[in-house]
Amino acid sequence: MVALVRLRAPLALFGAAVLVLVGPPLLTTGSGAGTGTQIPGLRFMVPNTPGGGYDITARTAAKNAEDAGLTSNIEVFNLPGAGGTVGLTRLVSERGNGKLAMSMGLGVVGAVRSNDAPKSLADTTPIARLTEEQDVVVVAKDSPYKTIDDLIGAWKKNPGKLPVGGGSSPGGPDHLAPMLMARAAGIAPKKVNYIPFDGGGELLASILGNKVAFGVSGVGEYLDQIKAGELRLLAVTGPERVAGLDAPTLQEAGYDVNFTNWRGIVAPPGLSDAERDKLTRLIEELHDSPEWQKSMKQNGWDDAFLTGDEFGEFLDAQDNRVVSVLKELGL
């Protein structure tokens, strides 16, 4: 069994335009002024398309922070491309900007490797790891595959004819999870026809339109579609069933896979100690707020809070782990 460190990551999307401001944020003062969490003009960058896990995490965090009175008028904007490395490069170029942060996760770690990106997470200022979550294996509601065994039985007969879609570049969570599934089912990972999308939002249309045989993404990204019956949930990738969802773990179904994803926040390099500490304090108070705790429960996210240097060490370990797993899978 290969299991990445269990560290991880939606809430129904508040609407694609929620919190996306067309102009500079208005400067206001809220109750966060007394706790030193007010950062006028704060912007959250999302390095993939609307509707994906990074996007939902950033918008949820922004709304919760405002509702809790920690700061005001956070701007959330999307800068997709190359599995998140376009946004990463932009973030690193904003050296010393204490009013910018980026939502990210394991997918960016993998994309840096698979795209040979010029910048890495080692070039950023680590702020916090927020959540972890399981991936889900889903098909369209009219798919012929009713169970995970139905799907894997067909997949084993002709791996290349059953494309699997994921919302991350090779090396990211939505790529590693089906590769681990394949190996557990006796399918050579190199034979898997994996189609990457720039986030779960882009992937969704291809699953619903049967452009891919099945999709793998974060539970929170597709929770609404699963509950509405638009997607059929076949299995979850973590060690335990997800509360409120009727689907086995892969291990329960007889496939030796235990995999979870995580999401966090990084900032540009070159921040002053005061800027870094203020941003960290904002995220710490967000984490402790009733608003955020409620959102985690609604989205099926597990708490995986970690800040500062410990988060930086974790990022280094995840980079090494991605390389190790890819080599182990022959990829």
Side-chain angles (χ1 to χ4, degrees):
M1 175 180 70
V2 177
L4 292 181
V5 180
R6 285 191 66 243
L7 308 151
R8 169 86 107 106
L11 178 62
L13 185 59
F14 296 105
V18 175
L19 300 175
V20 179
L21 310 179
V22 295
L26 298 175
L27 305 186
T28 61
T29 301
S31 60
T35 60
T37 60
Q38 282 287 334
I39 306 178
L42 178 61
R43 308 174 80 212
F44 281 170
M45 182 197 303
V46 177
N48 62 9
T49 53
Y54 302 150
D55 186 69
I56 298 171
T57 301
R59 295 181 191 282
T60 301
K63 185 176 189 304
N64 288 171
E66 293 184 354
D67 288 348
L70 299 176
T71 193
S72 304
N73 297 307
I74 301 172
E75 177 187 357
V76 182
F77 68 100
N78 298 78
L79 185 63
T85 58
V86 170
L88 176 62
T89 300
R90 162 72 179 276
L91 185 82
V92 174
S93 74
E94 295 271 350
R95 184 177 184 85
N97 184 352
K99 297 186 177 185
L100 179 65
M102 186 177 84
S103 174
M104 48 72 70
L106 181 58
V108 177
V109 178
V112 167
R113 287 291 178 178
S114 61
N115 293 316
D116 196 23
K119 301 297 180 182
S120 76
L121 290 164
D123 298 310
T124 69
T125 299
I127 300 299
R129 186 185 71 203
L130 291 172
T131 62
E132 67 173 343
E133 70 173 346
Q134 303 197 40
D135 267 358
V136 291
V137 182
V138 292
V139 295
K141 64 181 179 181
D142 57 351
S143 167
Y145 310 116
K146 307 295 185 183
T147 68
I148 189 65
D149 285 333
D150 290 344
L151 172 64
I152 290 183
W155 199 22
K156 289 174 73 172
K157 290 178 181 177
N158 200 335
K161 290 287 182 68
L162 267 71
V164 51
S168 59
S169 296
D174 300 348
H175 171 250
L176 293 177
M179 295 302 164
L180 295 170
M181 282 174 56
R183 189 181 67 172
I187 301 169
K190 286 186 177 181
K191 292 185 177 180
V192 174
N193 181 8
Y194 176 76
I195 300 176
F197 293 84
D198 208 353
E202 276 194 1
L203 170 62
L204 179 61
S206 288
I207 301 173
L208 294 175
N210 292 303
K211 303 296 184 183
V212 294
F214 66 104
V216 176
S217 193
V219 60
E221 292 172 77
Y222 293 157
L223 200 56
D224 281 356
Q225 290 80 8
I226 291 168
K227 290 185 174 180
E230 297 173 7
L231 293 176
R232 181 182 301 144
L233 175 60
L234 301 185
V236 297
T237 65
E240 299 176 352
R241 291 191 177 213
V242 175
L245 297 180
D246 183 19
T249 67
L250 287 169
Q251 288 182 325
E252 278 184 77
Y255 305 101
D256 194 9
V257 176
N258 176 4
F259 181 90
T260 55
N261 185 18
W262 56 269
R263 294 195 179 95
I265 294 175
V266 294
L271 300 191
S272 68
D273 289 348
E275 289 171 324
R276 182 198 62 217
D277 291 348
K278 192 166 191 176
L279 187 53
T280 301
R281 187 160 54 249
L282 169 63
I283 301 304
E284 287 174 340
E285 298 211 15
L286 168 68
H287 168 262
D288 292 340
S289 70
E291 290 83 356
W292 178 253
Q293 295 298 318
K294 181 180 178 181
S295 291
M296 284 200 298
K297 184 175 180 180
Q298 288 177 329
N299 284 299
W301 298 339
D302 293 324
D303 195 351
F305 196 61
L306 194 67
T307 60
D309 291 342
E310 289 184 328
F311 180 39
E313 291 169 4
F314 168 76
L315 291 177
D316 290 340
Q318 288 288 282
D319 181 54
N320 293 333
R321 197 58 179 265
V322 165
V323 172
S324 174
V325 172
L326 290 174
K327 286 181 178 177
E328 190 174 334
L329 292 172
L331 301 172

